[in-house]
Amino acid sequence: MIRLPDASGALRPYTPRPARPVPTGPPPRLRTVLAAAHVVADPFGDTTPGGLAALDWDATLAFRRHLWAHGLGVAEAMDTAQRGMGLGWDTAAELIRRSAAEAAAVGGRIVCGAGTDHLTPPYGSPDDVAAAYERQLEVVESAGAQAVVMASRALAAVARGPEDYERVYGRLVRQTERPVILHWLGPMFDPLLEGYWGATDLDAATDTLLRIVTAHPGRVAGVKVSLLDAGRERALRRRLPAGTRCFTGDDLHYPELIEGDGGASSDALLGVFDPLGPRAAHAARLLDSGDRHGFRAVLDPTVPLARHLFEPPTRFYKTGIVFLAWLAGHQHHFVMPAGLHAARTVPHLARAYELGDGLGLFPDPERARDRMARWLAVHGVER
């Protein structure tokens, strides 16, 4: 038994559950399932706010091998890896190279984020932003990975309207070696992306994104939508050209969006699949077999944990994800780049432990309970 604090500071008893391992298997066939993976900090590096990440490379790459072993693909150097929140471009580029080499060695699928986060204000013109994108796209493609064109704070700052987005993205997708995935990241994940695609009105923004996709047939493999709005994602995926896939980035409504309705469905590129990876892959394999009920029976119980991890301020979801990775034994410490391990409260992380344990996420529940108890004690909570 362990005593967990709530928001008032009151302690309540909690008895850990047994582990609930899930079967491993090949990558799912009917849905592409990608987990946006976190990075493991070097605890002796500069992990202060404003510091640039130094990584524990062995632990970081071992976690990716864990995801591939369960049949997932890896979305590398995305916002879950703290792009723009501690992970600088030089380290991100090294991460892309190393992870792509690991993927080739084990036969795992990998996509990698290309953005403009090496730029600093003043950002210059839209053409300067396009050139910055090209620099990062060259790194991704030379590593042998498919590119995810990430939303750019720089472009959001300098674009005068939708036409600048159409010109920059058109320039990019025409020159890549492989079709790319475009990423629409909402302001709940990054407030500096407010008004992306040249409009605060989401209907107008959607129209601009669709013009970019339809103007370049065969050059956009998919669109990742991270707006936490299931209805808007359904409407967008109905309008995508044939052959262009919709990747849900909705960490609140993913079971229903991946399952699909009316012949339309979403693939997945999700940060919440970092801790849920084995269950997500198992659920998708059930969908391969036609077992829609089994698919929902596996994934629906995970939604309360996802909603907890992604509660506002949503951009700090990474803290709970790394906390769960530490409790699960994927790393030896709970320290994050840029001091982000302090971005959630003690009661929030205690609840994350309870929800994760209730799902059977921890391979060694006794170790997880012991780590949780010792962490609470350091934070002034009696055992």
Side-chain angles (χ1 to χ4, degrees), residues 83 89 113-119 125-141 147-156 158 164-165 167-173 175-176 180-185 193 196-197:
R83 288 291 291 273
W89 166 241
T116 64
D117 48 322
H118 60 283
L119 293 179
S125 69
D127 285 339
D128 294 324
V129 176
Y133 265 127
E134 289 167 347
R135 174 182 169 185
Q136 295 201 13
L137 283 167
E138 194 279 329
V139 170
V140 171
E141 295 205 315
V148 179
V149 182
M150 302 175 69
S152 165
R153 292 174 179 174
L155 187 55
V158 304
D164 281 337
Y165 286 88
R167 185 159 56 87
V168 168
Y169 276 87
R171 170 175 162 178
L172 299 176
V173 302
Q175 64 181 282
T176 53
V180 300
I181 299 170
L182 304 185
H183 187 187
W184 186 359
L185 189 69
L193 297 177
Y196 212 72
W197 308 115

Side-chain angles (χ1 to χ4, degrees), residues 253-277:
H253 308 97
Y254 50 92
E256 63 197 74
L257 291 166
I258 297 170
E259 180 186 18
D261 59 81
S265 62
S266 295
D267 295 295
L269 197 167
L270 290 163
V272 77
F273 281 1
D274 179 299
L276 297 178

Side-chain angles (χ1 to χ4, degrees), residues 31 41 53 78 94 128 145 151 190 206 210 217 236 267 272 300 342 345 352:
R31 304 287 187 273
M78 303 290 292
E94 182 66 15
D128 294 324
D190 187 342
T206 299
L210 287 167
L236 172 61
D267 295 295
V272 77
D300 283 355
T345 66

Side-chain angles (χ1 to χ4, degrees), residues 75-148:
E76 187 57 276
M78 303 290 292
D79 50 299
T80 304
Q82 294 184 237
R83 288 291 291 273
M85 295 182 72
L87 186 72
W89 166 241
D90 288 343
T91 308
E94 182 66 15
L95 177 64
I96 289 167
R97 295 185 189 101
R98 291 189 184 220
S99 292
E102 290 284 333
V106 302
R109 176 163 185 179
I110 189 168
V111 302
C112 298
T116 64
D117 48 322
H118 60 283
L119 293 179
T120 57
Y123 296 117
S125 69
D127 285 339
D128 294 324
V129 176
Y133 265 127
E134 289 167 347
R135 174 182 169 185
Q136 295 201 13
L137 283 167
E138 194 279 329
V139 170
V140 171
E141 295 205 315
S142 65
Q146 184 177 25
V148 179

Side-chain angles (χ1 to χ4, degrees), residues 26-51:
R29 292 180 293 102
L30 295 181
R31 304 287 187 273
T32 299
V33 183
L34 303 168
H38 75 281
V39 292
V40 183
D42 175 357
F44 304 109
D46 183 357
T47 57
T48 59

Side-chain angles (χ1 to χ4, degrees), residues 10 24 29 33 41 62 112 141 180 207 216 223 244-245 328 334-335 341 345 382:
T24 58
R29 292 180 293 102
V33 183
C112 298
E141 295 205 315
V180 300
D207 289 343
H216 303 92
V223 175
T244 303
R245 310 184 80 146
F334 176 49
V335 175
H341 46 276
T345 66
E382 295 181 4

Side-chain angles (χ1 to χ4, degrees), residues 23 47 90 112 138 165 178 199 219 233 246 251 259 261 296 299 302 319 322 348 355 378:
T47 57
D90 288 343
C112 298
E138 194 279 329
Y165 286 88
R178 300 170 60 183
R219 303 305 307 157
E233 180 173 324
C246 181
D251 300 273
E259 180 186 18
D261 59 81
R296 295 299 293 263
L299 276 196
T302 68
T319 303
V322 175
H348 175 93
L355 290 168
V378 168

